Amino acid sequence: MTNVDLSGVSRWYGNVVAVNDVTMSLGTGVTGLLGPNGAGKTTVLHMMAGFLAPSRGTVTLGGEPTWRNPAVYRRLGLVTEREAVYDFLSAYEFVLASARLHRLPQPEAAAQRAIDLVELADAQDRRIGTYSKGMRQRARVAAALVHDPEVLLLDEPFNGMDPRQRMHMMELLHSLGGAGRTILFSSHILEEVEQVSGTVQVIVSGRLAASGDFRTIRRLMTNRPHVFAVQSSDDRRLAVELMGQPSVNGVDIDRDGLTVRAGDYGSFTRALPKIALASGIRVRRLLPSDESLESVFSYLVEA
């Protein structure tokens, strides 16, 4: 297992602080690096990849510093946000060049495996200049995977991909993470992160605002009411019973059932079945309405 660790990392440019005192550790599996544009995600990725030196703190990959340490690239694959491909090369030639730069013993076979992995074999002999943006992205991912790295860093990897390409790339990242690789991908699109990874690192204004499973993060936000959608065999009666509970801040009722605002997630979810059982009411549906990554993100940005 190869970890990527940041300890007390800051990066500034003159008087501008891009990243401020970030500490995080990435292990095996897929982690989403989430934040609005300009939050510092790319700066964090570039320090992990050894492109930037931290102004303060340490960045290590497998216990080794990433800055001025070319040896880490044997274990690291990187897909930057900015496109860097040679339009006159075919995808196969581009990926083969990456394999040769890594001095792989069988570069041709490695290049073909990587091309097949991103499902680009049908177009591998066409010039990259004729590709769509999504196809170009897949060629870049293949080049990053050609040496079978233990760690894969991707900056906005789904840019330009159509829905089918995006779905395949999500499945590929899941597969690689499940095989024991450490994968971090950045995105400002909530849906992408939520579909690929339940584990997030949230960067807001250069600071690490939250870390871990986004549902757990949401439940720890005790200053924000938790919202639940509830349907039962007797919504009006259940609403009356719930209003007397100390964990319930408010109840709204409409044709779709109840919307319950609870101050404490655990107290409410423990109390509801007891109330329903005592009142002879059958609860047909209980769904947290604001445990999406979007809710967590908006709460953190507003904080």
Side-chain angles (χ1 to χ4, degrees):
M1 182 175 78
T2 302
N3 281 20
V4 181
D5 297 294
L6 282 70
S7 179
V9 170
S10 298
R11 171 73 195 191
W12 52 78
Y13 302 90
N15 295 326
V16 178
V17 179
V19 174
N20 191 358
D21 194 27
V22 169
T23 296
M24 70 170 73
S25 181
L26 306 177
T28 57
V30 184
T31 300
L33 183 63
L34 177 65
N37 286 326
K41 302 187 303 297
T42 295
T43 300
V44 167
L45 277 167
H46 282 184
M47 287 190 288
M48 289 180 177
F51 286 6
L52 285 174
S55 303
R56 178 184 296 159
T58 60
V59 183
T60 60
L61 188 153
E64 299 181 14
T66 57
W67 176 243
R68 290 183 174 173
N69 185 8
V72 300
Y73 296 113
R74 297 192 185 99
R75 307 162 73 183
L76 172 69
L78 174 68
V79 179
T80 59
E81 182 179 15
R82 289 189 177 180
E83 224 177 58
V85 293
Y86 298 99
D87 287 349
F88 59 87
L89 293 178
S90 69
Y92 177 78
E93 291 169 335
F94 177 64
V95 178
L96 179 61
S98 180
R100 286 174 171 162
L101 285 171
H102 282 289
R103 299 180 180 177
L104 299 181
Q106 295 179 310
E108 293 83 3
Q112 192 61 60
R113 280 196 301 270
I115 288 282
D116 292 342
L117 201 59
V118 299
E119 294 188 343
L120 207 55
D122 289 347
Q124 68 178 38
D125 296 322
R126 280 172 44 196
R127 288 190 307 109
I128 294 177
T130 67
Y131 282 7
S132 67
K133 186 169 183 179
M135 293 172 70
R136 293 160 77 96
Q137 283 284 79
R138 286 154 62 198
R140 296 171 67 226
V141 171
L145 288 173
V146 73
H147 60 301
D148 195 22
E150 300 164 26
V151 177
L152 183 62
L153 307 176
L154 306 104
D155 199 356
E156 301 282 354
F158 303 107
N159 278 355
M161 291 188 179
D162 62 34
R164 190 196 67 80
Q165 293 171 340
R166 185 171 300 189
M167 186 62 64
H168 173 259
M169 187 57 61
M170 288 177 177
E171 291 172 354
L172 176 59
L173 295 184
H174 272 301
S175 174
L176 293 171
R181 291 171 180 78
T182 299
I183 299 173
L184 179 72
F185 76 98
S186 77
S187 179
H188 64 283
I189 299 176
L190 301 163
E191 182 184 4
E192 291 179 351
V193 180
E194 192 163 8
Q195 288 187 24
V196 178
S197 173
T199 304
V200 295
Q201 305 282 346
V202 185
I203 301 284
V204 178
S205 301
R207 288 183 175 272
L208 185 64
S211 177
D213 181 271
F214 68 82
R215 297 175 187 87
T216 304
I217 294 168
R218 172 63 188 98
R219 292 169 193 176
L220 292 174
M221 293 177 179
T222 54
N223 60 323
R224 296 278 182 171
H226 297 266
V227 182
F228 296 86
V230 182
Q231 290 178 346
S232 72
S233 57
D234 192 337
D235 289 338
R236 291 188 179 277
R237 189 174 166 205
L238 182 58
V240 172
E241 295 292 337
L242 289 175
M243 284 301 294
Q245 292 297 308
S247 62
V248 174
N249 295 347
V251 180
D252 297 322
I253 186 168
D254 58 28
R255 67 178 64 182
D256 295 321
L258 304 178
T259 299
V260 182
R261 294 179 299 282
D264 185 276
Y265 183 97
S267 296
F268 172 72
T269 53
R270 287 190 297 269
L272 179 61
K274 295 177 182 177
I275 293 168
L277 183 62
S279 305
I281 299 170
R282 178 175 296 177
V283 176
R284 296 183 177 133
R285 180 171 176 260
L286 173 64
L287 181 67
S289 300
D290 67 341
E291 282 202 357
S292 69
L293 187 52
E294 185 170 7
S295 298
V296 173
F297 185 58
S298 64
Y299 291 161
L300 292 170
V301 171
E302 291 167 9

